């Protein structure tokens, strides 16, 4: 049984807000933001809903492959900025994509949402007979940003990313005894086929309230804004990130030298540099695009994966591994292992 990522897409839209524009809104400056975070610009989707961002990233991924949309049996939308409670954004996205019937739900694990959904989808697909799953991470965090709080408003951006998974052992007709599954036949027409080997997930309750958005759907009062203790989140991310990578490699008996690419949650350049040093995995292997998008929470990993693989040398890295790493509110964390 193997689950493969067969397509990736992403989508950002709206106003590009750069550090100079922010310095006219709050007491900050380009140099401080770049030195402390690495972020230069972020997209603010003023007139676009989270579901529209999500839909467009799914379309982008679907346009790269040729599949029957009605063979999609699972759609997980990982988000903390959904437009409605019921129906959940996953149902709205599936409707827009023209899916007649699928298991749909939203998953809230903050910035780790996408990694959580990879693990959930793999285990669900392995225990049911589903051919394709769509996983989308989409956020319009700008609606929760306090534009008067310089310690947070510089960090976040809006966007969406999507991956499509295929179960290569899907059986078209379960009742037909001689229906032998040929994995190669199932994936032969796909350009991308990254095997999702394993994930390690975890979380511990944020009892000190280091990162909160208290009032989920009514951004009216100050309780609804993102509130964060940056120093503590920094500490959490740099400690847990190393642990989870080590656990994933140990569990799967993989040597660090066989990891050719790491896609970390795009929160802060300094966090990523610290993780590279502490984990002893060369900084050149860590993909970074946060300078353009800021922290897009659960969208950051699939957007980064889409961009990183766009210019990736698959041929010379055949048989090697990619690690996806995320950490965030909850406090949640997780990492996934992909084989090229
Ligand atoms: N511009 C100028 N000065 C600022 C700004 C700003 N935008 N924000 C804070 N400052 C000031 C502070 O007021 C403080 O001034 P003081 O010394 O006079 O009191 C000084 O800069 C230092 O502030 P710190 O908060 O200690 O700065 P730090 O070096 O910790 O950087 C930051 C802050 C960038 C938020 C950092 O803590 C960080 O990146 N933390 C990780 C948080 C993160 O990435 N969160 C994303 C969401 S959660 C997730 O995805 C994991």
């Amino acid at each position: 049984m193997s689950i493969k990522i067969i397509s990736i897409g992403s989508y950002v839209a709206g106003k590009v807000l750069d550090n100079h524009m922010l310095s006219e809104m709050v007491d900050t400056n380009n140099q401080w933001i770049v030195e402390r975070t690495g972020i230069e610009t972020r997209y603010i989707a003023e007139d676009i809903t989270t579901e529209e961002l999500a839909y467009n990233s799914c379309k982008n991924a679907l346009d790269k492959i040729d599949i029957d949309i009605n063979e999609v049996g699972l759609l997980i939308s990982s988000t903390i900025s959904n437009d409605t409670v019921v129906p959940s954004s996953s149902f709205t996205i599936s409707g827009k994509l023209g899916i007649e019937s699928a298991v749909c739900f939203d998953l809230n694990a903050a910035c780790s949402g996408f990694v959580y959904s990879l693990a959930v989808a793999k285990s669900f697909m392995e225990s049911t007979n589903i051919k394709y799953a769509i996983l989308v991470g989409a956020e319009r965090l700008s609606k929760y940003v306090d534009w008067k709080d310089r310690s947070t408003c510089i960090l976040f951006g809006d966007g969406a990313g999507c991956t499509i998974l295929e179960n290569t052992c899907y059986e078209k007709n379960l009742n037909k005894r001689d229906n032998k599954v040929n994995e190669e036949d199932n994936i032969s027409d796909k350009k991308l086929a990254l095997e999702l080997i394993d994930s390690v997930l975890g979380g511990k309750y944020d009892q000190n309230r280091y990162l909160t958005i208290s009032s989920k759907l009514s951004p009216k009062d100050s309780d609804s804004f993102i509130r964060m203790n940056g120093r503590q989140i920094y500490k959490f991310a740099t400690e847990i990130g190393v642990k989870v990578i080590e656990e994933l490699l140990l569990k799967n008996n993989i040597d660090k030298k066989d990891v050719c690419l790491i896609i970390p949650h795009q929160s802060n350049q300094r966090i990523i540099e610290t993780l590279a040093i502490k984990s002893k995995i060369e900084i050149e292997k860590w993909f970074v695009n946060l300078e353009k998008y800021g922290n897009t929470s659960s969208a950051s990993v699939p957007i980064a994966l889409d961009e990183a693989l766009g210019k990736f040398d698959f041929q010379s890295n055949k048989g090697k591994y990619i690690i996806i790493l995320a950490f965030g509110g909850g406090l949640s964390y997780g990492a996934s292992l992909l084989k090229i």
Side-chain angles (χ1 to χ4, degrees):
M1 174 79 66
S2 86
I3 306 298
K4 298 204 163 148
I5 293 180
I6 56 162
S7 190
I8 310 172
S10 58
Y11 185 76
V12 287
K15 182 171 91 180
V16 178
L17 184 67
D18 69 25
N19 294 345
H20 300 286
M21 292 154 94
L22 271 169
S23 66
E24 285 167 16
M25 296 158 63
V26 286
D27 182 13
T28 190
N29 58 75
N30 179 55
Q31 191 185 351
W32 193 97
I33 303 171
V34 171
E35 280 177 10
R36 302 283 176 127
T37 71
I39 301 165
E40 292 168 20
T41 58
R42 65 290 285 149
Y43 283 79
I44 306 298
E46 280 170 327
D47 304 317
I48 308 158
T49 65
T50 304
E51 283 152 7
E52 282 165 341
L53 292 172
Y55 166 78
N56 281 297
S57 73
C58 295
K59 278 294 288 171
N60 183 232
L62 285 164
D63 285 349
K64 296 174 186 169
I65 48 174
D66 182 21
I67 65 166
D68 176 354
I69 195 74
N70 278 309
E71 287 188 302
V72 173
L74 171 68
L75 192 153
I76 305 177
S77 169
S78 60
T79 182
I80 52 170
S81 48
N82 38 322
D83 303 313
T84 55
V85 179
V86 178
S88 74
S89 64
S90 58
F91 281 97
T92 312
I93 298 159
S94 83
K96 281 188 178 185
L97 290 172
I99 298 171
E100 256 172 52
S101 173
V103 174
C104 297
F105 59 91
D106 285 7
L107 189 153
N108 175 344
C111 307
S112 313
F114 193 78
V115 176
Y116 268 50
S117 62
L118 276 176
V120 171
K122 176 171 158 66
S123 116
F124 191 79
M125 290 172 91
E126 282 171 348
S127 58
T128 56
N129 195 43
I130 282 178
K131 186 162 186 186
Y132 300 115
I134 294 179
L135 312 185
V136 56
E139 303 286 8
R140 197 160 74 83
L141 287 179
S142 56
K143 66 178 173 176
Y144 297 122
V145 169
D146 179 354
W147 294 106
K148 293 188 183 115
D149 176 7
R150 68 177 182 171
S151 69
T152 54
C153 73
I154 57 160
L155 299 172
F156 299 99
D158 301 333
C162 168
T163 62
I164 299 176
L165 304 187
E166 177 171 7
N167 178 352
T168 60
C169 292
Y170 168 78
E171 293 181 53
K172 201 162 192 158
N173 186 351
L174 264 182
N175 300 323
K176 213 166 142 191
R177 278 172 170 264
D178 60 355
N179 181 27
K180 295 235 169 55
V181 177
N182 183 340
E183 283 203 41
E184 288 308 310
D185 282 357
N186 269 345
I187 61 158
S188 56
D189 60 331
K190 310 295 183 319
K191 284 187 200 135
L192 181 70
L194 289 175
E195 187 175 354
L196 176 54
I197 306 276
D198 192 20
S199 299
V200 169
L201 304 181
K204 60 173 184 174
Y205 176 53
D206 180 11
Q207 60 182 359
N208 296 310
R209 299 177 66 77
Y210 290 145
L211 181 53
T212 60
I213 306 174
S214 293
S215 176
K216 198 176 176 210
L217 290 171
S218 339
K220 287 188 196 121
D221 51 50
S222 60
D223 245 14
S224 311
F225 293 133
I226 298 169
R227 297 293 176 212
M228 185 183 68
N229 181 327
R231 287 253 160 121
Q232 291 299 332
I233 292 294
Y234 193 102
K235 197 164 167 276
F236 164 71
T238 49
E239 281 169 6
I240 206 68
V242 178
K243 274 193 198 145
V244 77
I245 286 179
E246 278 170 1
E247 191 181 335
L248 187 68
L249 292 176
L250 190 68
K251 193 175 159 210
N252 290 282
N253 202 19
I254 309 279
D255 200 296
K256 274 177 199 167
K257 70 173 181 358
D258 292 323
V259 175
C260 60
L261 178 66
I262 301 190
I263 309 286
H265 170 45
Q266 304 289 310
S267 59
N268 181 317
Q269 175 78 34
R270 287 191 305 151
I271 291 180
I272 295 171
E273 284 167 2
T274 305
L275 286 169
I277 293 167
K278 286 174 101 175
S279 66
K280 300 193 177 68
I281 299 178
E282 307 92 297
I283 189 68
E284 295 70 31
K285 291 183 177 174
W286 297 69
F287 183 79
V288 177
N289 67 358
L290 56 81
E291 71 280 2
K292 287 183 278 189
Y293 308 117
N295 178 348
T296 57
S297 190
S298 67
S300 97
V301 163
I303 293 175
L305 191 62
D306 189 28
E307 247 184 65
L309 295 186
K311 43 193 165 191
F312 192 71
D313 179 0
F314 286 93
Q315 212 46 45
S316 52
N317 286 299
K318 194 110 194 92
K320 293 202 169 157
Y321 297 90
I322 297 174
I323 289 179
I324 288 173
L325 170 70
F327 35 77
L331 300 167
S332 60
Y333 58 89
S336 297
L337 188 67
L338 307 175
K339 187 167 186 190
I340 296 161

